[in-house]
Amino acid sequence: MYVNSKGMEENTYDAIVIGSGISGGWAAKELCEKGLKTLVLERGRMVEHVKDYITANKEPWEFPTRERTPPEEIKEHYPKQSRTGYTVRESSKHWFVKDSEHPYQETKRFDWMRGYHVGGRSIMWGRHSYRFSDLDFEANMRDGHGVDWPIRYADIDPWYTYAEGYAGIHGMNEGLPQLPDGNFLPPMEFNCLEKHFREKVAENFGGRVVTMGRTANLTQNHNGRVKCQYRNRCIRGCPYGGYFSSNAATLPAAQATGNLTLRPDSIVTSIIYDKEQRKAVGVNVIDRETNEAMEFNAKVIFCCASAVASTSILMNSKSDAFPDGIGASSGELGHNLMDHHFRTGASGDYDGFADQYYYGRKPTGFYIPRFRNVDKASEQKDYVRGFGYQGGGSRESWQSAVAEMGFGASLKEKIVEPGPWRMGMTAFAETLPYHENKMTLDYENTDKWGQPTVIFDAEFKENEMAMRPDMANSAAEMLEAAGFKNVQTYDAGSWPGLGIHEMGTARMGRDPKTSVLNKWNQVHDVPNVYVTDGACMTSAACVNPSLTYMALTARAADHAVNELKKMNL
């Protein structure tokens, strides 16, 4: 293989960041602002903020098939990416990889949703941003599943505050120990039905709270970005910067320092370990377009490529010192794969508020924090951990007019007449960190760049299945208590990966014999390699994890810079 090293000086930086999504963007910002010449390597194509959001302002009728991707195309290129039911549309499919070009294997079903481009999944993420609490950081220690987190809430509290303040998270402080308050922008408003629901749940269920979803949509202009326009087209990319993404926020901040070098189309295949120096000295890269092999060098390396991709790179970083890859000495690398399980809940109709409406398409609904197994009184005998709900109320769309097949004036009247009020919610629930839920690399079935593909072998187990009936029934009882009619529960099934919250394949821990990373997100075996994306998670909690990735990344970057100053890395 020809390797173009182009001289050590030209390809040497203070820091290398692998990946440009939520974690990678934060690492780039923090390291650059602290003075490190930083190279960000992104395996996908370049995406320029605003310019490359090619569908952001298109209406449904401007797509030849009204946003629907032809079944033949889905079958050929997106058989797995389409499993979500909402990602592969003409308005958003360009943010998701083609399975035909990026294959993986499944011993058991695993829905691995990926976006290979600058900004990664920060462009199309769900934006819900919640803090873990000590209920979460102490969970493994208390019930014996997995290993104990090496940190507690107090260790990350100031970094949550910092991340929220920069990203722009709106929300309501509720004073709940299981969902700590934060540094929020003013919340979005409930519509009249959501407000009614909040009041009735408080009246009928002591301790349960319906709060506004805490999301990274701006409710006021913030840090040079424009507030949310209530278009609810976030998945297409926001030309206003109305929600947090790497492209709108952290990468421009890094660029402004003059310390950032961003190289798209750069597939990192492995980390280079120097046995004499006993540390990592760089990374091997294949150019996605030219297949040229290159090396880049740095004093510190941040793995932020997403849980599965970062772990794949660690596994593929084999040497005499680490024959099974960097971080594999504990036997836990690739194991403890987690995701949230969801898609069960309830919905109902509401008579009333016929003279009340709402403005625009609010991109955020309500959130009901976990209320099971939070104290002695709420302990469940059938399962450990718990779940929260995301949902919203709205008036039925004009689709009923289509069902009536109206014509002319009667159709026009129907389509401008708001329908009745409805509300629905789905639970998001914690998955335990099972050692046997794992990913491995397949060196016989390689991709078009000759790199091993991933094999998934993970499933939801007894504890997850035991809580699902409660997830549906508890939703129904709250709706019924609030006066809803025609309340129906549902369970549409859930599979690992479908929540797009994959976590845990290089977990943090106190003991190098049972964990891959220490309390600062450093690989135990190679301390100048940090892993700060979902791979680092020791447990999953039941809340969306991205805010925790942001906080952990900022904290780890601060630690790395301090260690470099002390000549410890």
Side-chain angles (χ1 to χ4, degrees):
M1 177 186 294
Y2 170 68
V3 176
N4 178 15
S5 62
K6 293 183 179 179
M8 288 289 289
E9 184 174 346
E10 183 179 349
N11 284 1
T12 297
Y13 299 81
D14 295 323
I16 289 173
V17 176
I18 306 171
S20 62
I22 283 181
S23 300
W26 268 96
K29 171 185 174 299
E30 296 300 305
L31 295 170
C32 287
E33 289 183 342
K34 294 178 186 299
L36 270 58
K37 295 294 183 183
T38 302
L39 173 65
V40 174
L41 295 167
E42 165 55 52
R43 68 171 294 154
R45 61 187 168 89
M46 182 63 192
V47 171
E48 293 186 32
H49 181 50
V50 183
K51 173 178 172 289
D52 290 329
Y53 303 152
I54 56 176
T55 61
N57 293 315
K58 284 191 173 182
E59 300 298 336
W61 52 85
E62 295 182 82
F63 297 94
T65 52
R66 295 187 71 87
E67 293 196 65
R68 294 181 181 178
T69 299
E72 301 79 12
E73 184 178 343
I74 290 177
K75 182 178 180 180
E76 180 177 359
H77 294 301
Y78 303 102
K80 294 173 180 173
Q81 301 301 298
S82 64
R83 289 172 178 174
T84 63
Y86 66 90
T87 51
V88 180
R89 295 178 179 173
E90 293 303 283
S91 56
S92 57
K93 70 178 184 183
H94 52 291
W95 296 131
F96 294 87
V97 303
K98 291 182 177 178
D99 295 311
S100 54
E101 295 179 359
H102 302 280
Y104 66 91
Q105 327 300 323
E106 305 162 285
T107 301
K108 301 183 181 75
R109 175 175 169 176
F110 192 97
D111 304 326
W112 190 20
M113 304 298 127
R114 292 156 290 164
Y116 292 160
H117 46 258
V118 169
R121 292 185 298 194
S122 79
I123 292 178
M124 59 281 200
W125 68 305
R127 306 171 307 287
H128 280 260
S129 303
Y130 304 99
R131 297 184 179 204
F132 278 37
S133 70
D134 264 336
L135 185 71
D136 305 308
F137 286 115
E138 296 176 0
N140 288 2
M141 178 193 68
R142 291 181 183 278
D143 62 31
H145 295 281
V147 298
D148 189 17
W149 278 87
I151 61 173
R152 290 292 183 262
Y153 179 71
D155 296 309
I156 195 173
D157 177 14
W159 297 101
Y160 275 135
T161 300
Y162 175 62
E164 288 163 343
Y166 182 78
I169 312 297
H170 76 86
M172 305 166 67
N173 287 323
E174 302 281 6
L176 300 172
Q178 72 270 35
L179 192 75
D181 293 341
N183 177 22
F184 300 137
L185 299 178
M188 290 187 170
E189 294 185 1
F190 293 109
N191 61 41
C192 61
L193 186 60
E194 293 165 346
K195 185 177 180 181
H196 165 81
F197 184 57
R198 171 180 164 90
E199 293 169 351
K200 292 301 179 184
V201 169
E203 287 178 15
N204 291 281
F205 301 91
R208 296 189 194 180
V209 172
V210 180
T211 190
M212 179 50 61
R214 300 171 179 175
T215 63
N217 294 89
L218 301 180
T219 52
Q220 60 189 33
N221 296 347
H222 185 71
N223 286 343
R225 296 185 282 128
V226 177
K227 67 181 180 181
C228 176
Q229 303 294 299
Y230 283 56
R231 295 159 18 108
N232 200 17
R233 289 177 172 173
C234 309
I235 198 172
R236 303 182 186 186
C238 182
Y240 303 93
Y243 68 87
F244 173 85
S245 69
S246 297
N247 309 66
T250 46
L251 291 178
Q255 189 75 52
T257 66
N259 290 326
L260 174 68
T261 300
L262 172 62
R263 193 180 197 286
D265 302 316
S266 302
I267 302 171
V268 175
T269 59
S270 61
I271 295 169
I272 304 167
Y273 180 75
D274 187 306
K275 193 174 182 179
E276 300 300 320
Q277 299 184 59
R278 302 179 65 180
K279 63 182 180 182
V281 294
V283 298
N284 289 308
V285 169
I286 295 175
D287 188 285
R288 185 178 69 92
E289 296 287 358
T290 67
N291 289 328
E292 181 182 11
M294 293 168 283
E295 293 180 6
F296 294 96
N297 304 104
K299 300 169 187 172
V300 62
I301 297 167
F302 270 66
C303 294
C304 303
S306 81
V308 175
S310 285
T311 297
S312 296
I313 293 168
L314 292 172
M315 287 178 160
N316 204 35
S317 300
K318 297 181 177 181
S319 63
D320 291 341
F322 302 110
D324 296 320
I326 288 177
S329 61
S330 66
E332 296 296 333
L333 186 65
H335 293 267
N336 313 296
L337 178 58
M338 299 173 285
D339 184 22
H340 293 127
H341 63 105
F342 68 124
R343 302 212 314 167
T344 182
S347 62
D349 302 326
Y350 190 81
D351 292 336
F353 302 124
D355 59 344
Q356 296 194 42
Y357 310 94
Y358 48 87
Y359 170 78
R361 295 188 288 266
K362 184 176 63 176
T364 303
F366 62 75
Y367 185 72
I368 301 176
R370 172 180 164 182
F371 51 81
R372 297 298 197 205
N373 294 320
V374 296
D375 53 25
K376 194 68 178 177
S378 62
E379 281 187 3
Q380 302 296 296
K381 61 181 176 58
D382 296 328
Y383 61 86
V384 297
R385 315 290 172 105
F387 51 86
Y389 292 99
Q390 296 177 24
S394 63
R395 302 193 72 160
E396 276 192 342
S397 71
W398 52 267
Q399 290 174 346
S400 58
V402 178
E404 293 173 4
M405 296 298 286
F407 293 94
S410 63
L411 174 62
K412 291 180 181 178
E413 291 173 3
K414 276 291 182 185
I415 63 176
V416 297
E417 179 181 331
W421 285 94
R422 284 186 55 79
M423 179 173 283
M425 68 181 88
T426 185
F428 279 77
E430 182 165 359
T431 300
L432 295 176
Y434 304 104
H435 174 82
E436 56 270 32
N437 277 355
K438 66 181 186 295
M439 54 165 284
T440 53
L441 296 185
D442 184 347
Y443 287 89
E444 294 184 358
N445 295 294
T446 57
D447 64 17
K448 63 187 292 187
W449 297 276
Q451 298 305 301
T453 54
V454 175
I455 305 174
F456 291 103
D457 185 0
E459 63 182 357
F460 296 133
K461 298 179 184 292
E462 184 177 348
N463 193 68
E464 290 75 44
M465 294 300 109
M467 71 172 73
R468 292 185 72 82
D470 193 17
M471 294 157 68
N473 295 334
S474 294
E477 70 177 4
M478 286 187 283
L479 290 171
E480 289 172 347
F484 284 77
K485 299 179 178 178
N486 304 320
V487 174
Q488 295 183 322
T489 61
Y490 70 93
D491 186 340
S494 189
W495 292 265
L498 200 57
I500 322 183
H501 296 160
E502 59 269 20
M503 294 177 267
T505 47
R507 69 184 179 191
M508 298 168 71
R510 299 175 185 274
D511 187 346
K513 295 179 181 177
T514 58
S515 61
V516 178
L517 310 175
N518 68 13
K519 66 179 181 180
W520 297 109
N521 293 81
Q522 296 170 283
V523 175
H524 286 299
D525 298 330
V526 188
N528 69 328
V529 175
Y530 290 75
V531 182
T532 67
D533 54 28
C536 75
M537 303 295 276
T538 311
S539 68
C542 67
V543 297
N544 302 53
S546 293
L547 180 66
T548 299
Y549 305 163
M550 298 184 206
L552 286 173
T553 301
R555 178 176 179 268
D558 184 69
H559 179 266
V561 172
N562 289 333
E563 290 298 288
L564 284 171
K565 289 178 180 176
K566 297 175 185 173
M567 307 291 286
N568 288 338
L569 294 179

